[in-house]
PDB file of all heavy atoms in Angstrom:
ATOM      1  N   GLY A  37     134.021  97.360  97.941  1.00 94.00           N
ATOM      2  CA  GLY A  37     132.996  98.253  98.473  1.00 94.00           C
ATOM      3  C   GLY A  37     132.043  97.619  99.470  1.00 94.00           C
ATOM      4  O   GLY A  37     130.989  98.191  99.759  1.00 94.00           O
ATOM      5  N   CYS A  38     132.394  96.471 100.006  1.00 96.00           N
ATOM      6  CA  CYS A  38     131.496  95.794 100.956  1.00 96.00           C
ATOM      7  C   CYS A  38     131.225  96.660 102.180  1.00 96.00           C
ATOM      8  O   CYS A  38     130.134  96.621 102.751  1.00 96.00           O
ATOM      9  CB  CYS A  38     132.084  94.455 101.391  1.00 96.00           C
ATOM     10  SG  CYS A  38     132.454  93.318 100.025  1.00 96.00           S
ATOM     11  N   GLN A  39     132.227  97.455 102.569  1.00 95.00           N
ATOM     12  CA  GLN A  39     132.081  98.303 103.751  1.00 95.00           C
ATOM     13  C   GLN A  39     131.089  99.442 103.546  1.00 95.00           C
ATOM     14  O   GLN A  39     130.688 100.081 104.501  1.00 95.00           O
ATOM     15  CB  GLN A  39     133.444  98.829 104.223  1.00 95.00           C
ATOM     16  CG  GLN A  39     133.948 100.030 103.472  1.00 95.00           C
ATOM     17  CD  GLN A  39     134.513  99.738 102.088  1.00 95.00           C
ATOM     18  OE1 GLN A  39     134.517  98.606 101.621  1.00 95.00           O
ATOM     19  NE2 GLN A  39     134.991 100.755 101.413  1.00 95.00           N
ATOM     20  N   HIS A  40     130.654  99.674 102.326  1.00 95.00           N
ATOM     21  CA  HIS A  40     129.643 100.705 102.094  1.00 95.00           C
ATOM     22  C   HIS A  40     128.294 100.269 102.667  1.00 95.00           C
ATOM     23  O   HIS A  40     127.500 101.106 103.094  1.00 95.00           O
ATOM     24  CB  HIS A  40     129.500 101.032 100.605  1.00 95.00           C
ATOM     25  CG  HIS A  40     130.707 101.689 100.032  1.00 95.00           C
ATOM     26  ND1 HIS A  40     131.174 102.907 100.467  1.00 95.00           N
ATOM     27  CD2 HIS A  40     131.560 101.286  99.067  1.00 95.00           C
ATOM     28  CE1 HIS A  40     132.263 103.227  99.796  1.00 95.00           C
ATOM     29  NE2 HIS A  40     132.517 102.259  98.939  1.00 95.00           N
ATOM     30  N   CYS A  41     128.055  98.971 102.682  1.00 95.00           N
ATOM     31  CA  CYS A  41     126.788  98.443 103.196  1.00 95.00           C
ATOM     32  C   CYS A  41     126.936  97.730 104.538  1.00 95.00           C
ATOM     33  O   CYS A  41     126.003  97.711 105.330  1.00 95.00           O
ATOM     34  CB  CYS A  41     126.169  97.464 102.195  1.00 95.00           C
ATOM     35  SG  CYS A  41     125.670  98.243 100.639  1.00 95.00           S
ATOM     36  N   HIS A  42     128.092  97.120 104.779  1.00 96.00           N
ATOM     37  CA  HIS A  42     128.285  96.291 105.968  1.00 96.00           C
ATOM     38  C   HIS A  42     129.285  96.916 106.927  1.00 96.00           C
ATOM     39  O   HIS A  42     130.299  97.468 106.511  1.00 96.00           O
ATOM     40  CB  HIS A  42     128.799  94.900 105.581  1.00 96.00           C
ATOM     41  CG  HIS A  42     127.843  94.127 104.740  1.00 96.00           C
ATOM     42  ND1 HIS A  42     126.719  93.522 105.251  1.00 96.00           N
ATOM     43  CD2 HIS A  42     127.844  93.855 103.411  1.00 96.00           C
ATOM     44  CE1 HIS A  42     126.071  92.917 104.286  1.00 96.00           C
ATOM     45  NE2 HIS A  42     126.729  93.103 103.150  1.00 96.00           N
ATOM     46  N   THR A  43     129.015  96.757 108.207  1.00 96.00           N
ATOM     47  CA  THR A  43     129.910  97.196 109.268  1.00 96.00           C
ATOM     48  C   THR A  43     130.650  95.990 109.815  1.00 96.00           C
ATOM     49  O   THR A  43     130.069  94.922 109.980  1.00 96.00           O
ATOM     50  CB  THR A  43     129.098  97.831 110.422  1.00 96.00           C
ATOM     51  OG1 THR A  43     128.409  98.965 109.914  1.00 96.00           O
ATOM     52  CG2 THR A  43     129.975  98.241 111.572  1.00 96.00           C
ATOM     53  N   ILE A  44     131.924  96.182 110.091  1.00 96.00           N
ATOM     54  CA  ILE A  44     132.703  95.204 110.841  1.00 96.00           C
ATOM     55  C   ILE A  44     133.478  95.987 111.887  1.00 96.00           C
ATOM     56  O   ILE A  44     134.224  96.909 111.553  1.00 96.00           O
ATOM     57  CB  ILE A  44     133.663  94.388 109.950  1.00 96.00           C
ATOM     58  CG1 ILE A  44     132.867  93.511 108.979  1.00 96.00           C
ATOM     59  CG2 ILE A  44     134.598  93.526 110.805  1.00 96.00           C
ATOM     60  CD1 ILE A  44     133.705  92.631 108.078  1.00 96.00           C
ATOM     61  N   LYS A  46     132.515  98.241 114.038  1.00 94.00           N
ATOM     62  CA  LYS A  46     132.111  99.655 114.069  1.00 94.00           C
ATOM     63  C   LYS A  46     132.674 100.496 112.924  1.00 94.00           C
ATOM     64  O   LYS A  46     132.693 101.715 112.994  1.00 94.00           O
ATOM     65  CB  LYS A  46     132.463 100.283 115.420  1.00 94.00           C
ATOM     66  CG  LYS A  46     131.762  99.600 116.564  1.00 94.00           C
ATOM     67  CD  LYS A  46     132.087 100.232 117.887  1.00 94.00           C
ATOM     68  CE  LYS A  46     131.377  99.439 118.972  1.00 94.00           C
ATOM     69  NZ  LYS A  46     131.571  99.943 120.284  1.00 94.00           N
ATOM     70  N   VAL A  47     133.105  99.834 111.845  1.00 94.00           N
ATOM     71  CA  VAL A  47     133.585 100.549 110.664  1.00 94.00           C
ATOM     72  C   VAL A  47     132.767 100.083 109.471  1.00 94.00           C
ATOM     73  O   VAL A  47     132.714  98.899 109.176  1.00 94.00           O
ATOM     74  CB  VAL A  47     135.082 100.281 110.404  1.00 94.00           C
ATOM     75  CG1 VAL A  47     135.539 100.960 109.121  1.00 94.00           C
ATOM     76  CG2 VAL A  47     135.924 100.724 111.573  1.00 94.00           C
ATOM     77  N   GLY A  48     132.121 101.022 108.794  1.00 95.00           N
ATOM     78  CA  GLY A  48     131.375 100.694 107.600  1.00 95.00           C
ATOM     79  C   GLY A  48     129.958 101.234 107.625  1.00 95.00           C
ATOM     80  O   GLY A  48     129.589 102.019 108.503  1.00 95.00           O
ATOM     81  N   GLY A  49     129.179 100.794 106.662  1.00 95.00           N
ATOM     82  CA  GLY A  49     127.819 101.281 106.493  1.00 95.00           C
ATOM     83  C   GLY A  49     126.812 100.462 107.278  1.00 95.00           C
ATOM     84  O   GLY A  49     127.147  99.480 107.929  1.00 95.00           O
ATOM     85  N   ASN A  50     125.555 100.901 107.168  1.00 94.00           N
ATOM     86  CA  ASN A  50     124.500 100.218 107.918  1.00 94.00           C
ATOM     87  C   ASN A  50     123.330  99.782 107.038  1.00 94.00           C
ATOM     88  O   ASN A  50     122.274  99.452 107.537  1.00 94.00           O
ATOM     89  CB  ASN A  50     124.012 101.081 109.077  1.00 94.00           C
ATOM     90  CG  ASN A  50     123.461 102.412 108.627  1.00 94.00           C
ATOM     91  OD1 ASN A  50     123.349 102.680 107.434  1.00 94.00           O
ATOM     92  ND2 ASN A  50     123.136 103.261 109.576  1.00 94.00           N
ATOM     93  N   LYS A  51     123.529  99.771 105.725  1.00 94.00           N
ATOM     94  CA  LYS A  51     122.479  99.316 104.817  1.00 94.00           C
ATOM     95  C   LYS A  51     122.277  97.804 104.938  1.00 94.00           C
ATOM     96  O   LYS A  51     121.165  97.311 104.913  1.00 94.00           O
ATOM     97  CB  LYS A  51     122.836  99.690 103.377  1.00 94.00           C
ATOM     98  CG  LYS A  51     121.762  99.333 102.375  1.00 94.00           C
ATOM     99  CD  LYS A  51     122.120  99.806 100.983  1.00 94.00           C
ATOM    100  CE  LYS A  51     121.022  99.442 100.000  1.00 94.00           C
ATOM    101  NZ  LYS A  51     121.338  99.859  98.648  1.00 94.00           N
ATOM    102  N   GLY A  52     123.385  97.072 105.069  1.00 94.00           N
ATOM    103  CA  GLY A  52     123.345  95.618 105.248  1.00 94.00           C
ATOM    104  C   GLY A  52     123.634  95.275 106.693  1.00 94.00           C
ATOM    105  O   GLY A  52     123.922  96.145 107.509  1.00 94.00           O
ATOM    106  N   PRO A  53     123.581  93.992 107.028  1.00 95.00           N
ATOM    107  CA  PRO A  53     123.822  93.584 108.409  1.00 95.00           C
ATOM    108  C   PRO A  53     125.268  93.812 108.857  1.00 95.00           C
ATOM    109  O   PRO A  53     126.192  93.814 108.049  1.00 95.00           O
ATOM    110  CB  PRO A  53     123.489  92.096 108.415  1.00 95.00           C
ATOM    111  CG  PRO A  53     123.371  91.672 107.018  1.00 95.00           C
ATOM    112  CD  PRO A  53     123.208  92.882 106.160  1.00 95.00           C
ATOM    113  N   ASP A  54     125.421  94.012 110.153  1.00 96.00           N
ATOM    114  CA  ASP A  54     126.736  94.096 110.789  1.00 96.00           C
ATOM    115  C   ASP A  54     127.358  92.702 110.714  1.00 96.00           C
ATOM    116  O   ASP A  54     126.748  91.720 111.120  1.00 96.00           O
ATOM    117  CB  ASP A  54     126.562  94.533 112.247  1.00 96.00           C
ATOM    118  CG  ASP A  54     127.870  94.754 112.976  1.00 96.00           C
ATOM    119  OD1 ASP A  54     128.886  94.121 112.615  1.00 96.00           O
ATOM    120  OD2 ASP A  54     127.877  95.538 113.929  1.00 96.00           O
ATOM    121  N   LEU A  55     128.562  92.623 110.182  1.00 97.00           N
ATOM    122  CA  LEU A  55     129.218  91.326 109.993  1.00 97.00           C
ATOM    123  C   LEU A  55     130.300  91.052 111.037  1.00 97.00           C
ATOM    124  O   LEU A  55     131.078  90.114 110.885  1.00 97.00           O
ATOM    125  CB  LEU A  55     129.813  91.248 108.584  1.00 97.00           C
ATOM    126  CG  LEU A  55     128.816  91.356 107.439  1.00 97.00           C
ATOM    127  CD1 LEU A  55     129.533  91.302 106.089  1.00 97.00           C
ATOM    128  CD2 LEU A  55     127.753  90.274 107.527  1.00 97.00           C
ATOM    129  N   GLU A  77     118.574  92.564  99.518  1.00 90.00           N
ATOM    130  CA  GLU A  77     119.092  93.719  98.771  1.00 90.00           C
ATOM    131  C   GLU A  77     120.551  93.552  98.343  1.00 90.00           C
ATOM    132  O   GLU A  77     121.089  94.399  97.640  1.00 90.00           O
ATOM    133  CB  GLU A  77     118.947  94.979  99.621  1.00 90.00           C
ATOM    134  CG  GLU A  77     117.493  95.339  99.890  1.00 90.00           C
ATOM    135  CD  GLU A  77     117.357  96.590 100.724  1.00 90.00           C
ATOM    136  OE1 GLU A  77     118.164  97.520 100.543  1.00 90.00           O
ATOM    137  OE2 GLU A  77     116.446  96.633 101.554  1.00 90.00           O
TER     138      GLU A  77
END
Side-chain angles (χ1 to χ4, degrees):
C38 303
Q39 82 284 2
H40 293 298
C41 295
H42 297 284
T43 299
I44 294 182
K46 299 181 182 181
V47 176
N50 59 5
K51 184 176 180 181
D54 184 332
L55 299 179
E77 295 180 37

